[in-house]
Amino acid sequence: MKKILNNLIAVAVVLIVFLIIVPLPAFMLDVMYVINITLSLMILLITMYIKETLEFSVFPSILLITTLFRLGLNISSTRLILTKQGEAGQVIKTFGSFVLSGNIVVGFIVFLIIVLVQFIVITKGAERVAEVSARFTLDAMPGKQMAIDADLSSGLIDEQQAKIRRENIQREAEFFGSMDGATKFVKGDAIMSIIITFINFIGGTIIGMVQGGASFTDVLHIYSIATVGDGLVAQIPALLISTATGMIVTRAASQEHLSTDITRQFMAQPISLIISGIAIAVLGLIPGMPWYIFIPFGALLAFMGYKLIQTQKQEKARAFAMESTAAPVENAVDEGEYYRNIDNVYNLLQIDSIEMEFGYSLLPLIDERSGSSFIERLVMFRRQFALEMGAVVPEVRLRDNGFLNPNQYIIKIKGEEIAKGEILVDYYLALDPGGVSGTIDGIDTIEPAYGIPSKWITQDKKELAEIYGYTVIDPLSVVITHLSEVVKRHAHELLSRQDVNQLLDTVRKYNTTLVDDVVPNIISFSGLQKILANLLKEGVPIRDIETILETLSDYAPSIRDTELLTEYVRQALKRTITRKWSDGGQIRVITLDSEVEKVILNAINKNDQGTYLALDPQIIQKIVSNLLDCIAKVKEVIQVPIILTSPVVRIYFSRMLEQFYQDAVILSFNEIDINVQIQALANVTLD
């Protein structure tokens, strides 16, 4: 069926071209005009009911086809009008007679008004909007691409979702670019309709006088009806298509179709209806005004506004009642009586793994009843984190805190405050990624997740900021990004013994032998938890739990030091580590000079608890200072500095550096796959 429809559309386009050449009988022309009007009405309704412009991405091509169809019908009708003494079908005759209504002059004036309104107002406006939309859409593409990259890097979306969003941006740019050109078809069609109208009237009058032998009055009557009728049956579909063009290029961001949006947004302001009703009623009191129209209409508007206000109050009361019903038991009884039960006191000792507290101005940002997608974004981040790191983010407890600044929020890990931020709900955060083409007014601030200088801007400046090259982020994305970065930094603290047990249960479903052989026979649950936490602490994914267990089964029987076991596991996960930190088949690193490594090796001491580094503080300061200088030199090339060391030195250098600089990645040669090219950008020395 689909194949037949595809071929039918292709045949229809070919037949439209033949309309220009092949004469049509009057009856067939009537059928074609009915099809034309029906098709135009369908297109207009489709543009009203779509939620996004890309849902009707074939509109530019449809615009060309319908324009060609109308021109073909115009040529066919002109041929009949000039050759059949104005007899061009019943549709044209009926339209012409209805509009003229026995008065040729008035009828022609009405017809010209319809044509000029369609040409000057709707077509011209749609053309201008399409032109501006195309330019702004193309200019905003870089900023939208950077916003997608930011969401991808923060874990809010996965690679597949990023790919879909990039394709949508590309399709949107192509759509508005096509619409910019397609509106020229509508403009040309309107001009051609006016020209054909004059040709039909003047040419028909001349032919009727010369060849028909009828009186001038009869000729004028016949050809005026035919001309006006032909113009109307062409202009009404053209008017519908022009309106559809303006409709589709003026649609803003929306979650529903046009009718639903208009109804919801008008009904959301009942006070406006009341004031409008009162104003209309007052106008009806002016002497001479038809008060019997103004006053009832004003009263109707005021009554509608009053009923809407009452409905909103009832909904708020119902929501408050539901909240009161769901309130915890301790709010309904005396506090002293409640805590007399010792079990209720123990409930106070429970600590949430992750907790967020918000000022009261930020509550709509996380309240699902207010249309917030906060929970959905959390779920999306949990999924992305599990895929990337192999660990599951625990539940996040959300609370309001009346002691906080209204625009402030804090993030707690195991009951202790780790980070805080301040956001403006009705604003957007504009980050300067470097190389912006202009400045924009806003409230200066610091992006909470990465500490980047940025500005809070109003919604009306959003598109301008994207054109200038700023990365524009909505407030909800700012909070989610901050939370994701905090979770990534403290993932090793969030990994509990219960989480380790669930990971092993997952592996046990398809590799029971491996799990039972290693845990707890070779290594204990606590030892495995420590090793997994060590990996997460340095950003190494633990998703390949089988490789981790197999490595431990090889080395754990003879080695009890969990730090050393972690190093062997890291080397076994070298493909995972290489994939994460390499780019385009190469990895850019900062290396340690052989003298630096020799000094570190000579400072390694052992005791009963294991090995530790006993290095002179002045030497540590010199090494760290030289390293920071190297990082500053290469910061334009690599965002996250990677220090490459020998396998023996890596663990001790990592312990030393984490006290001074936590944003670096420490890798050893044995942790990099042989297929990746190593590019050394700087070398840390003792000089």
Side-chain angles (χ1 to χ4, degrees):
M1 184 65 183
K2 184 177 180 181
K3 187 175 182 181
I4 295 175
L5 287 176
N6 291 339
N7 294 330
L8 185 63
I9 292 171
V11 171
V13 173
V14 175
L15 291 178
I16 288 172
V17 178
F18 276 98
L19 285 177
I20 302 174
I21 304 171
V22 180
L24 289 179
F27 174 76
M28 197 64 191
L29 188 63
D30 286 343
V31 174
M32 289 295 177
Y33 271 125
V34 172
I35 294 174
N36 188 26
I37 294 173
T38 305
L39 182 62
S40 303
L41 185 59
M42 287 174 58
I43 292 172
L44 175 62
L45 292 175
I46 289 173
T47 58
M48 293 177 66
Y49 278 92
I50 60 174
K51 298 178 182 178
E52 297 179 359
T53 54
L54 292 181
E55 293 181 23
F56 200 25
S57 59
V58 296
F59 185 76
S61 300
I62 294 291
L63 199 60
L64 173 59
I65 294 173
T66 53
T67 301
L68 185 62
F69 187 32
R70 283 197 305 276
L71 291 175
L73 293 178
N74 273 333
I75 293 172
S76 295
S77 62
T78 299
R79 184 184 291 113
L80 287 178
I81 289 172
L82 298 180
T83 58
K84 301 294 184 180
Q85 297 181 349
E87 292 296 329
Q90 193 65 31
V91 173
I92 290 177
K93 183 178 180 180
T94 303
F95 267 99
S97 301
F98 180 75
V99 173
L100 291 179
S101 300
N103 193 320
I104 296 176
V105 177
V106 175
F108 255 105
I109 291 174
V110 172
F111 169 70
L112 287 175
I113 290 174
I114 294 174
V115 173
L116 292 176
V117 165
Q118 192 265 340
F119 174 66
I120 296 176
V121 180
I122 300 178
T123 302
K124 200 74 175 175
E127 179 188 15
R128 179 57 179 164
V129 173
E131 179 184 347
V132 173
S133 299
R135 187 174 74 248
F136 275 88
T137 301
L138 291 172
D139 290 342
M141 277 187 67
K144 293 180 179 179
Q145 293 281 10
M146 295 185 68
I148 293 173
D149 294 338
D151 287 348
L152 179 62
S153 62
S154 64
L156 300 180
I157 58 175
D158 56 26
E159 186 62 40
Q160 184 64 26
Q161 292 170 318
K163 182 180 179 181
I164 294 173
R165 287 174 59 176
R166 291 192 187 100
E167 290 177 353
N168 286 340
I169 290 175
Q170 184 66 32
R171 289 177 59 207
E172 187 181 41
E174 293 173 354
F175 174 81
F176 282 106
S178 300
M179 284 301 301
D180 186 22
T183 50
K184 305 298 188 298
F185 300 143
V186 181
K187 180 181 179 182
D189 176 50
I191 296 173
M192 198 63 206
S193 296
I194 297 174
I195 295 173
I196 291 175
T197 299
F198 282 104
I199 291 174
N200 287 341
F201 183 71
I202 297 173
T205 303
I206 294 173
I207 292 173
M209 291 295 297
V210 174
Q211 299 179 0
S215 65
F216 179 74
T217 304
D218 292 339
V219 169
L220 194 64
H221 179 72
I222 291 171
Y223 285 99
S224 61
I225 290 177
T227 301
V228 173
D230 179 53
L232 280 177
V233 293
Q235 284 305 306
I236 288 178
L239 181 65
L240 296 176
I241 294 294
S242 297
T243 305
T245 304
M247 196 80 68
I248 203 168
V249 297
T250 54
R251 288 298 301 272
S254 173
Q255 295 180 347
E256 298 292 342
H257 54 73
L258 183 63
S259 300
T260 303
D261 282 343
I262 291 177
T263 303
R264 184 179 64 246
Q265 294 177 23
F266 265 82
M267 297 299 101
Q269 306 296 333
I271 192 67
S272 301
L273 295 178
I274 295 176
I275 295 175
S276 299
I278 294 173
I280 292 295
V282 170
L283 286 176
L285 299 177
I286 297 176
M289 283 288 187
W291 60 268
Y292 46 84
I293 298 176
F294 278 83
I295 293 179
F297 189 65
L300 177 63
L301 285 178
F303 178 74
M304 289 175 59
Y306 172 76
K307 293 299 292 182
L308 285 172
I309 290 177
Q310 295 299 315
T311 302
Q312 291 179 357
K313 288 182 178 179
Q314 290 175 3
E315 290 178 353
K316 289 181 179 179
R318 192 179 301 114
F320 179 78
M322 292 177 63
E323 291 178 358
S324 301
T325 304
V329 178
E330 58 266 28
N331 292 337
V333 298
D334 181 72
E335 187 175 1
E337 183 67 26
Y338 180 77
Y339 288 116
R340 183 172 297 179
N341 185 344
I342 194 169
D343 291 334
N344 294 331
V345 180
Y346 276 107
N347 291 335
L348 297 174
L349 304 181
Q350 184 179 355
I351 297 177
D352 297 305
S353 298
I354 308 175
E355 183 181 350
M356 294 190 71
E357 296 181 356
F358 297 86
Y360 67 84
S361 294
L362 305 185
L363 296 182
L365 196 67
I366 61 172
D367 187 1
E368 289 183 294
R369 291 173 299 183
S370 302
S372 172
S373 60
F374 187 84
I375 303 300
E376 294 178 7
R377 299 281 290 272
L378 277 181
V379 172
M380 193 183 303
F381 165 64
R382 180 179 287 116
R383 173 184 175 276
Q384 184 68 20
F385 188 80
L387 290 173
E388 287 185 0
M389 301 302 297
V392 178
V393 178
E395 291 184 357
V396 181
R397 180 74 65 181
L398 306 178
R399 305 180 190 275
D400 63 323
N401 188 338
F403 295 101
L404 287 178
N405 183 301
N407 296 320
Q408 196 174 57
Y409 66 90
I410 61 175
I411 302 174
K412 293 182 177 181
I413 300 293
K414 296 185 177 180
E416 296 297 331
E417 181 181 324
I418 298 297
K420 66 171 58 177
E422 191 167 344
I423 58 176
L424 303 180
V425 175
D426 297 327
Y427 287 70
Y428 286 85
L429 189 67
L431 283 76
D432 181 3
V436 295
S437 58
T439 58
I440 192 166
D441 294 332
I443 303 172
D444 292 329
T445 186
I446 300 295
E447 196 276 332
Y450 304 105
I452 303 174
S454 50
K455 293 183 178 181
W456 287 109
I457 60 173
T458 53
Q459 187 173 2
D460 59 316
K461 296 185 176 67
K462 180 176 179 289
E463 289 189 1
L464 181 61
E466 291 175 342
I467 293 172
Y468 284 161
Y470 286 89
T471 300
V472 182
I473 307 174
D474 62 276
L476 182 57
S477 295
V478 174
V479 177
I480 294 293
T481 302
H482 194 188
L483 175 63
S484 66
E485 289 301 311
V486 170
V487 170
K488 289 175 182 178
R489 285 182 176 271
H490 299 271
H492 61 288
E493 299 180 41
L494 298 172
L495 185 70
S496 65
R497 192 76 56 84
Q498 181 65 28
D499 294 330
V500 175
N501 190 44
Q502 290 181 345
L503 289 174
L504 293 177
D505 287 341
T506 303
V507 180
R508 192 178 280 112
K509 293 177 182 178
Y510 53 85
N511 200 337
T512 305
T513 304
L514 177 62
V515 176
D516 294 340
D517 181 53
V518 177
V519 183
N521 297 328
I522 296 178
I523 189 168
S524 63
F525 277 99
S526 60
L528 179 60
Q529 179 190 6
K530 177 65 175 176
I531 292 170
L532 295 178
N534 288 341
L535 294 172
L536 290 174
K537 187 176 183 179
E538 297 195 58
V540 178
I542 61 172
R543 191 177 179 187
D544 189 3
I545 194 71
E546 285 187 273
T547 299
I548 296 173
L549 293 176
E550 289 172 356
T551 305
L552 292 176
S553 68
D554 293 335
Y555 294 96
S558 58
I559 301 174
R560 295 300 177 186
D561 188 345
T562 56
E563 301 290 344
L564 189 55
L565 286 173
T566 303
E567 295 302 304
Y568 283 114
V569 170
R570 288 176 61 98
Q571 294 172 19
L573 296 174
K574 64 180 180 181
R575 281 194 298 269
T576 301
I577 293 174
T578 302
R579 173 188 55 79
K580 183 170 183 178
W581 302 113
S582 63
D583 182 20
Q586 66 176 2
I587 183 168
R588 298 181 177 92
V589 300
I590 299 172
T591 57
L592 293 185
D593 188 73
S594 58
E595 289 297 324
V596 175
E597 292 199 350
K598 188 182 295 183
V599 168
I600 294 174
L601 286 173
N602 292 334
I604 297 175
N605 290 337
K606 294 183 180 181
N607 57 19
D608 295 337
Q609 283 73 38
T611 58
Y612 63 95
L613 188 65
L615 198 61
D616 185 87
Q618 292 183 350
I619 297 178
I620 293 177
Q621 184 177 1
K622 183 179 292 185
I623 294 174
V624 172
S625 178
N626 291 343
L627 174 62
L628 294 178
D629 291 339
C630 292
I631 292 174
K633 293 177 183 178
V634 302
K635 67 178 181 179
E636 299 296 332
V637 182
I638 51 176
Q639 295 182 346
V640 180
I642 301 173
I643 295 93
L644 190 61
T645 72
S646 62
V648 181
V649 171
R650 198 211 74 83
I651 183 174
Y652 303 105
F653 186 76
S654 177
R655 289 178 186 173
M656 180 189 76
L657 189 61
E658 70 178 356
Q659 304 175 15
F660 304 96
Y661 191 85
Q662 297 182 352
D663 295 331
V665 176
I666 318 298
L667 303 180
S668 73
F669 290 100
N670 290 356
E671 297 170 1
I672 299 179
D673 194 83
I674 59 175
N675 297 321
V676 175
Q677 180 184 0
I678 299 175
Q679 182 180 0
L681 302 179
N683 187 44
V684 180
T685 65
L686 285 174
D687 298 335

